[in-house]
Amino acid sequence: MSAYPDHLDLGPLDRAAGSVRLPGSKSISNRTLLLAALAQGRTQIHNLLAADDVDRMLEALSVLGVTVTGSRQGVVAVDGCNGSFPVKQADLFLGNAGTALRPLTAALATCGGHYKLSGVPRMHERPIGDLVDALRSLGADIRYLANEGYPPLEIRPGTPWSGSKVRIRGDVSSQFLTALLMALPLAGRAITIEVTGELISRPYIDITLKLMSRFGVTIQREGGSSFLIPAGSRLVSPGEIFVEGDASGASYFLAAGAIGAGPVRVEGVGRGSIQGDVGFADALARMGARIELGENWIEAAAPPTGTLRAFDLDLNAIPDAAMTLAVAALFADGTSRLRNIGSWRVKETDRIAAMATELRKLGAQVEEGPDFLVVTPPHASRLTPDAAIDTYDDHRIAMCFSLAALGGVKVRINEPGCVAKTFPDYFERFAEVTSMSSAPVIAIDGPSASGKGVVAQRVAEHLGFHYLDSGSLYRLVALAALRDGVDVKDADALGEIARKLPAHFSAGKILLNGEDVTDAIRAEAVSRSASEVAAFASVRQGLMRRQQAFRRVPGLVAEGRDMAAVVFPDAVLKVFLTASAEERARRRYKQLIEKGFDATLSTLLQDIRQRDARDSERSVAPLRKSVDAQIIDTTGLSIKEVVGRILQWFESASRKAPSR
């Protein structure tokens, strides 16, 4: 997981394009964990979310005696306890995870044990009285340890299931109904749940019902207000289950595509999703965005006019994703109204008040009510620059306000680490698909071992620019192919790997599927395969957008084989580095030996000559000096000399470049 500073400055940005693979859904992850723990049998869970809320559930299940094995980088296995937790006395701390505390309250009330449940101060301000009243009506013994109607709670052995009908309010939190639906099958007899008042967030109840059917319990639903748990219901493991990508998390990237030209594709949710928040794509479409859907992906791009339309929408069904719409309203052509969002008041913070406050910092006119927001963009949609956005320890506020940077202004996100609740590396993923078209680029090309890597890094460090080692992306594709047993001559399969490459760069490290492969991609076998892989148009197209997304303020130094001619043809400075084959072989030999790899100078010399031939003769983006590139033969030069020459050229080119 990423560790963020006290604040994070984003932008200015004006463009978004690329693809993002979503982390697992929080709602599905925690529901699946609890159902697996209560079920009979072992459940193998794929793509479980690695985030704070899920950590709280995992910690609680461990304390309660549930055996959980495996890693979230792979498969997590849960050995179910067949309806009764082994540990009958425990104190559980659940942070601010409503998807953990509320369902566990209901489940523990059935277990005949003595438990205490608590969380962070904000969790102790989030109401739970309606759920407690419902459980008490069935015979549960639940007591408040501080304020009536709020956590922390104490649960003692009671005599539950004294009735066959229970009522629950539906207009405070859908998690209350979810908690009852997941716990009451443990009673072993028929129980009817009647919902009073309007049921909010109905799609989240649909998630619960669909997951329970996977665990062998089919709830009989009458309209939207009555749910019958049949007699003899038992939770039984399905054996294996896959967690969908987080549809709420998809909203930020889809909105980025709609605001910043796009297209931006999210992978992990699509037409076949069980999550109601995929309805966010429909809301964007009503704003004029161009939306395409596949079975497991959604793609968004800006309207043909370039400007989003204002909206007036009832957003009761997608309250979390609706926060993203509130920020998207800054880029609309008029006043937008968000209706029926009263549940925002009792979330991680009072989201209606918080969103209104932060939107005003960006120059919007905002009217707030008990269950609505009205947002009017600033004049000419010119956002107030250098706004410092407070996040209220609310992950969704931090993520949705990142979109404001696409208005061409710098935005400061205070306490960005709160995204760890559901999307720990959100800002890295956001950076991969956003850029500033006016940010200057220095493109440095050249053959292998010409010195472009270390030179480019030094230039970037001197200027305070971002740095792109494009070769590492091709090495990552090669490494992924070798590990998956994919033929490095299979263009279609390699293109698919490139498009979906689960890789990112963090703190100077290169990660593949969360594993540090910084050194592994430098192995000679990977290097040879990378040269072959890079010859395919499918691979280069698959990586193009990812490379271009590195272009961000204040600027970028990009090194590779085709940075100047193909990826950044508008670079303010283009440089081509070269050196004799013998000198490059010596450099490569020294590099490998220092890293502990076996190598022979003669073999390396032969390999470099072969690679030069492949790179220069390939039909797709061959290695050639761009006609407007400055050339430097580095054979007899020090790194300092080469860097100095490039910095002089950049200074001169910057003076000549037209203002943007």
Side-chain angles (χ1 to χ4, degrees):
M1 295 187 182
S2 300
Y4 293 115
D6 291 341
H7 65 264
L8 189 66
D9 291 330
L10 304 176
L13 305 169
D14 65 3
R15 186 169 64 182
S19 62
V20 176
R21 179 162 290 276
L22 298 168
S25 160
K26 176 190 69 172
S27 298
I28 297 177
S29 290
N30 270 352
R31 283 168 172 80
T32 300
L33 280 172
L34 183 55
L35 290 170
L38 294 171
Q40 178 184 0
R42 168 173 283 197
T43 305
Q44 293 184 316
I45 307 172
H46 299 257
N47 198 39
L48 191 70
L49 173 65
D52 285 353
D53 274 24
V54 179
D55 287 343
R56 302 292 81 77
M57 177 66 87
L58 286 167
E59 290 165 2
L61 294 178
S62 177
V63 171
L64 292 167
V66 179
T67 300
V68 181
T69 56
S71 166
R72 279 177 284 180
Q73 302 300 332
V75 181
V76 172
V78 180
D79 291 326
C81 61
N82 198 20
S84 182
F85 293 115
V87 174
K88 298 302 181 182
Q89 184 168 347
D91 290 353
L92 304 176
F93 176 80
L94 296 160
N96 201 10
T99 57
L101 187 142
R102 289 157 173 175
L104 275 169
T105 296
L108 292 169
T110 75
C111 288
H114 187 185
Y115 307 101
K116 293 180 180 178
L117 290 79
S118 63
V120 299
R122 175 59 186 172
M123 178 57 81
H124 297 170
E125 298 173 353
R126 300 175 68 180
I128 200 170
D130 294 297
L131 176 61
V132 171
D133 289 346
L135 292 167
R136 284 174 171 174
S137 75
L138 292 168
D141 185 352
I142 306 176
R143 307 175 188 187
Y144 299 110
L145 296 178
N147 297 321
E148 191 79 8
Y150 298 87
L153 305 174
E154 181 180 16
I155 301 173
R156 294 174 176 262
T159 56
W161 324 135
S162 58
S164 61
K165 184 178 292 186
V166 62
R167 289 182 172 85
I168 189 74
R169 283 179 62 183
D171 58 353
V172 177
S173 173
S174 65
Q175 291 174 8
F176 298 164
L177 176 56
T178 280
L180 292 176
L181 289 169
M182 294 171 69
L184 294 189
L186 304 178
R189 60 187 180 84
I191 298 178
T192 297
I193 306 171
E194 291 188 350
V195 179
T196 61
E198 182 183 12
L199 178 59
I200 63 174
S201 305
R202 289 176 181 267
Y204 286 93
I205 300 303
D206 292 335
I207 291 174
T208 303
L209 297 175
K210 288 173 182 176
L211 285 175
M212 291 185 68
S213 70
R214 295 288 308 277
F215 283 85
V217 176
T218 300
I219 307 293
Q220 298 177 22
R221 185 173 185 174
E222 297 180 6
S225 61
S226 183
F227 301 82
L228 172 63
I229 292 115
S233 294
R234 291 175 62 240
L235 293 168
V236 179
S237 170
E240 189 174 45
I241 195 164
F242 289 78
V243 176
E244 285 184 13
D246 181 21
S248 300
S251 71
Y252 314 114
F253 299 99
L254 295 175
I259 296 166
V264 173
R265 175 175 290 197
V266 295
E267 297 173 343
V269 294
R271 191 182 292 115
S273 175
I274 66 172
Q275 299 171 79
D277 275 349
V278 295
F280 178 83
D282 295 330
L284 278 182
R286 294 181 66 171
M287 295 180 72
R290 292 172 290 167
I291 302 295
E292 293 186 23
L293 286 91
E295 193 63 23
N296 199 42
W297 58 268
I298 309 173
E299 190 171 274
T305 62
T307 303
L308 295 169
R309 293 194 295 266
F311 60 87
D312 183 343
L313 294 172
D314 184 328
L315 298 166
N316 177 275
I318 54 168
D320 288 342
M323 298 174 67
T324 312
L325 286 175
V327 179
L330 294 170
F331 301 90
D333 60 4
T335 297
S336 296
R337 179 179 288 268
L338 295 85
R339 293 185 283 108
N340 210 356
I341 54 172
S343 64
W344 283 18
R345 295 284 189 190
V346 293
K347 295 287 189 175
E348 282 80 348
T349 188
D350 181 341
R351 286 176 169 170
I352 289 180
M355 293 294 291
T357 298
E358 304 311 310
L359 287 166
R360 291 181 183 118
K361 291 180 180 179
L362 290 159
Q365 297 179 38
V366 184
E367 178 188 354
E368 65 173 282
D371 65 348
F372 70 85
L373 274 181
V374 180
V375 182
T376 302
H379 179 67
S381 296
R382 291 178 180 164
L383 306 186
T384 303
D386 300 314
I389 303 299
D390 293 316
T391 52
Y392 307 84
D393 198 28
D394 190 328
H395 56 132
R396 299 209 182 279
I397 290 178
M399 291 186 283
C400 68
F401 273 99
S402 66
L403 297 169
L406 286 165
V409 296
K410 187 178 80 173
V411 176
R412 171 165 291 185
I413 307 295
N414 290 325
E415 304 298 335
C418 62
V419 299
K421 182 177 175 71
T422 55
F423 206 148
D425 60 348
Y426 169 77
F427 290 106
E428 286 90 344
R429 304 284 77 74
F430 182 73
E432 288 178 358
V433 298
T434 55
S435 61
M436 186 70 177
S437 57
S438 61
V441 175
I442 300 175
I444 301 177
D445 292 321
S448 176
S450 58
K452 58 185 182 294
V454 64
V455 167
Q457 289 184 66
R458 298 281 179 85
V459 171
E461 288 170 5
H462 183 89
L463 296 171
F465 282 12
H466 301 282
Y467 165 65
L468 167 60
D469 171 11
S470 70
S472 66
L473 293 174
Y474 293 98
R475 292 172 182 271
L476 282 164
V477 173
L479 179 62
L482 292 170
R483 288 184 170 183
D484 292 345
V486 174
D487 187 347
V488 294
K489 299 186 186 300
D490 188 339
D492 291 339
L494 292 170
E496 188 70 3
I497 291 175
R499 192 175 64 83
K500 297 180 176 180
L501 191 64
H504 69 277
F505 303 83
S506 179
K509 296 180 178 179
I510 302 170
L511 306 178
L512 180 65
N513 274 321
E515 177 191 347
D516 184 355
V517 294
T518 309
D519 291 332
I521 64 170
R522 300 294 171 185
E524 248 337 90
V526 177
S527 296
R528 286 192 295 271
S529 296
S531 181
E532 296 180 62
V533 162
F536 292 110
S538 58
V539 174
R540 305 195 79 84
Q541 290 168 1
L543 294 178
M544 176 76 78
R545 287 176 180 166
R546 182 172 290 219
Q547 292 172 337
Q548 292 172 336
F550 278 82
R551 185 177 197 164
R552 304 191 297 276
V553 171
L556 172 70
V557 182
E559 59 99 343
R561 303 286 202 282
D562 60 352
M563 295 295 101
V566 178
V567 184
F568 299 108
D570 62 340
V572 68
L573 174 64
K574 301 175 182 179
V575 179
F576 189 89
L577 301 186
T578 188
S580 68
E582 291 77 12
E583 175 64 19
R584 290 186 284 129
R586 282 193 291 271
R587 292 173 182 174
R588 183 69 176 146
Y589 177 80
K590 181 181 179 183
Q591 183 186 52
L592 290 171
I593 295 300
E594 288 176 349
K595 289 184 177 292
F597 293 109
D598 293 330
T600 60
L601 193 58
S602 60
T603 301
L604 288 172
L605 178 59
Q606 182 182 6
D607 182 63
I608 278 179
R609 286 171 172 163
Q610 291 173 346
R611 195 177 306 177
D612 286 350
R614 281 198 306 269
D615 289 348
S616 59
E617 294 170 4
R618 68 191 181 207
S619 58
V620 180
L623 172 64
R624 290 178 189 151
K625 183 184 85 68
S626 183
V627 293
D628 52 348
Q630 304 274 14
I631 189 168
I632 304 177
D633 188 332
T634 66
T635 301
L637 299 177
S638 68
I639 293 171
K640 185 178 180 180
E641 288 173 319
V642 177
V643 170
R645 193 175 299 181
I646 292 172
L647 290 173
Q648 288 179 349
W649 285 340
F650 176 68
E651 184 179 354
S652 177
S654 298
R655 287 197 298 266
K656 296 176 183 177
S659 58
R660 297 176 183 267

